[in-house]
Amino acid sequence: MGTFFKFSLHFWGVAMLFVLCLFYFLYQGGKLAFMLFIIITALCSYFIICRWNGISQLTGVRNLSENGHEPFIQAGAGVTVQLQLKIPGYWPIPYVKIKETITGGDGEEHVIESLGIPNRKRIVELSYRTSSLRRGFYQFDEMICSTEDVFGLFKKEQRLGIPTQLAVMPQKIRIRDWRYLSRMLMGVNRQSNNSYRETAQFKSVREFVAGDRPSIIHWNATAKTGTWKSREFERESHAKLIVVLDRNSNAYSNKDHFELAISTAASLLDYAISRGVATGMLSVGSDRKYFEPKSNANHGKVLMNHLISVEPNCTDAIADVLKNHGHLLSPDSFFIIISPHFGNAMMPLVTWTEQRRMKICHMWIAPEASTAEREEWSGRLRRKDVLGYPVTSIEGLALALEGA
């Protein structure tokens, strides 16, 4: 009985029409009945052939690259997706309707529907741009492809899985120069300039300089170019910076509040690593992670990948967490505390770092703080000889640091 009802009403309507025309031709006869029977038979043959139109063997490729490069997507922007679908067979298909679902790690869904027309090689090429995406990792679900006959009576649907992942980076802003940090690092490097040591981390190939040891000559590059080349290694940096990110869920009023903290951390990390500063991070959440200070580009990617998926999921006070991890934090480093806490909630941390003679800077994430509150807290920090910036927007962060 189930097999009988699995066909659509359109199918039974066409089947009934064919039977009626057949009976009309057999019992009535004549030219009109014959012509009507021929037309209905041709239409039914077309509908039957359409069941093998090739969409069930559909294959495809999804491409997210732009100008031949992997896309670098920041939060708040969209991405251009290019699709190419190959439909086997020969029977003509009027169009292919495509429905894609992009799912984020927090359950956020973006549904995109598009329409493509096959060319003479039965290839459908189309592109679309997603809406603004939030920070995080995204997964493309199975694509739903469907088509119909030219009369729109019978629909054929096929699911196509093309595994694709998309990483949306935190929004960040380019900091051209942070004068305070530049002056501080210049003093540290001047004191230790004569004590630089090379590490075993390969950096690049450079021109041979008289006096280079034979052990650092890059023989392959020398043979290819015909000129002497030497290997250059990463230098051990004495200037170290550690970014401390407060992920206390009770401290942030909404998602945008926490996103401002993430953008601040990403911008500062990007600035420090681009200046060759050995940079680390302590992410204070339920899954507390500490990254040792390093200065190479791969380390920067590790830090950014961590910021893609972090959420405010901790209830512990940041001062207590830092005290428990005090053995990991070198007093010689410069600490940037990114936190929405201020006033009496932050003073225990300021006092503790003062006792350990640690240099800190408080990035106060305060998009809704009043002018009076910002001035009062900045004054308390100055009296403690502590650097502090109220961050009301990511654009304001760059202006404040470049003017400091």
Side-chain angles (χ1 to χ4, degrees):
M1 194 68 176
T3 304
F4 183 80
F5 287 104
K6 74 176 182 178
F7 297 103
S8 65
L9 292 178
H10 289 157
F11 171 83
W12 292 115
V14 173
M16 184 62 68
L17 181 62
F18 176 79
V19 172
L20 291 177
C21 289
L22 177 61
F23 285 162
Y24 182 66
F25 171 67
L26 292 176
Y27 292 101
Q28 179 66 29
K31 294 182 179 180
L32 177 62
F34 177 73
M35 291 299 299
L36 187 61
F37 177 71
I38 292 298
I39 293 173
I40 296 300
T41 301
L43 288 176
C44 291
S45 301
Y46 168 77
F47 292 141
I48 293 173
I49 295 174
C50 281
R51 293 181 60 86
W52 293 276
N53 55 19
I55 196 172
S56 58
Q57 285 82 39
L58 185 71
T59 58
V61 177
R62 181 188 294 112
N63 190 5
L64 303 181
S65 65
E66 295 181 359
N67 299 324
H69 301 283
E70 289 295 325
F72 181 80
I73 308 161
Q74 289 192 19
V79 60
T80 301
V81 181
Q82 298 176 346
L83 288 172
Q84 185 181 79
L85 305 177
K86 173 65 176 176
I87 307 172
Y90 302 95
W91 195 256
I93 294 178
Y95 67 88
V96 176
K97 185 178 181 181
I98 297 166
K99 180 179 179 181
E100 288 225 80
T101 303
I102 307 175
T103 306
D106 58 352
E108 178 187 3
E109 287 190 352
H110 295 262
V111 179
I112 299 99
E113 294 187 359
S114 185
L115 196 70
I117 299 176
N119 58 22
R120 59 186 181 85
K121 296 182 179 180
R122 296 175 65 84
I123 295 177
V124 179
E125 294 181 336
L126 55 89
S127 64
Y128 62 84
R129 188 166 183 83
T130 66
S131 57
S132 299
L133 300 175
R134 298 182 67 89
R135 172 184 57 88
F137 292 100
Y138 290 84
Q139 175 71 43
F140 284 79
D141 297 337
E142 281 189 333
M143 183 194 313
I144 301 177
C145 304
S146 60
T147 186
E148 295 178 342
D149 58 83
V150 294
F151 301 98
L153 295 178
F154 298 101
K155 181 178 180 180
K156 186 72 172 179
E157 186 176 284
Q158 179 66 23
R159 291 180 176 269
L160 178 63
I162 308 176
T164 307
Q165 287 188 342
L166 175 65
V168 179
M169 307 293 290
Q171 186 180 15
K172 57 185 179 181
I173 194 167
R174 180 176 177 269
I175 302 172
R176 289 176 294 183
D177 185 32
W178 183 4
R179 296 180 182 177
Y180 176 85
L181 184 62
S182 299
R183 288 194 299 266
M184 187 192 70
L185 296 179
M186 188 181 299
V188 173
N189 289 337
R190 185 179 294 119
Q191 294 174 6
S192 58
N193 189 47
N194 296 328
S195 60
Y196 265 136
R197 292 186 302 173
E198 287 188 338
T199 67
Q201 181 68 38
F202 176 74
K203 181 180 180 181
S204 61
V205 178
R206 61 172 174 81
E207 295 294 332
F208 177 82
V209 178
D212 281 350
R213 302 187 310 273
S215 60
I216 69 170
I217 296 176
H218 199 297
W219 297 105
N220 288 338
T222 300
K224 289 180 180 179
T225 61
T227 58
W228 289 98
K229 300 289 183 179
S230 297
R231 290 177 294 177
E232 186 174 12
F233 298 90
E234 295 283 352
R235 286 183 171 182
E236 184 183 66
S237 175
H238 292 270
K240 296 181 180 179
L241 182 145
I242 296 179
V243 174
V244 181
L245 176 62
D246 187 0
R247 292 160 52 193
N248 191 311
S249 58
N250 299 325
Y252 297 96
S253 57
N254 50 50
K255 284 187 175 182
D256 291 336
H257 194 186
F258 182 68
E259 290 302 317
L260 180 57
I262 293 294
S263 297
T264 301
S267 301
L268 292 170
L269 290 171
D270 188 63
Y271 170 77
I273 292 175
S274 67
R275 294 300 188 277
V277 181
T279 307
M281 182 170 62
L282 175 61
S283 182
V284 185
S286 60
D287 53 339
R288 296 165 195 158
K289 290 190 176 181
Y290 176 68
F291 300 88
E292 289 283 349
K294 298 179 182 179
S295 58
N296 57 71
N298 288 334
H299 181 64
K301 293 180 181 179
V302 172
L303 297 179
M304 289 298 173
N305 285 337
H306 173 74
L307 291 178
I308 291 177
S309 58
V310 294
E311 295 294 340
N313 51 14
C314 176
T315 57
D316 298 333
I318 186 172
D320 296 336
V321 176
L322 284 181
K323 291 176 183 178
N324 294 333
H325 291 76
H327 62 284
L328 297 175
L329 307 178
S330 171
D332 298 332
S333 302
F334 180 59
F335 296 86
I336 300 178
I337 313 296
I338 301 176
S339 173
H341 286 119
F342 72 104
N344 294 333
M346 182 58 65
M347 285 309 297
L349 176 59
V350 175
T351 303
W352 179 75
T353 56
E354 185 181 21
Q355 293 171 352
R356 298 196 64 192
R357 301 181 180 275
M358 297 167 61
K359 296 179 181 180
I360 70 168
C361 172
H362 179 212
M363 295 292 176
W364 178 27
I365 310 301
E368 299 177 355
S370 64
T371 303
E373 287 178 324
R374 295 198 295 268
E375 291 179 352
E376 192 274 336
W377 177 238
S378 297
R380 291 182 67 179
L381 290 178
R382 280 195 299 269
R383 288 191 291 272
K384 287 282 188 179
D385 197 23
V386 174
L387 188 65
Y389 299 92
V391 181
T392 58
S393 66
I394 191 62
E395 293 81 9
L397 172 67
L399 293 175
L401 296 183
E402 291 168 6

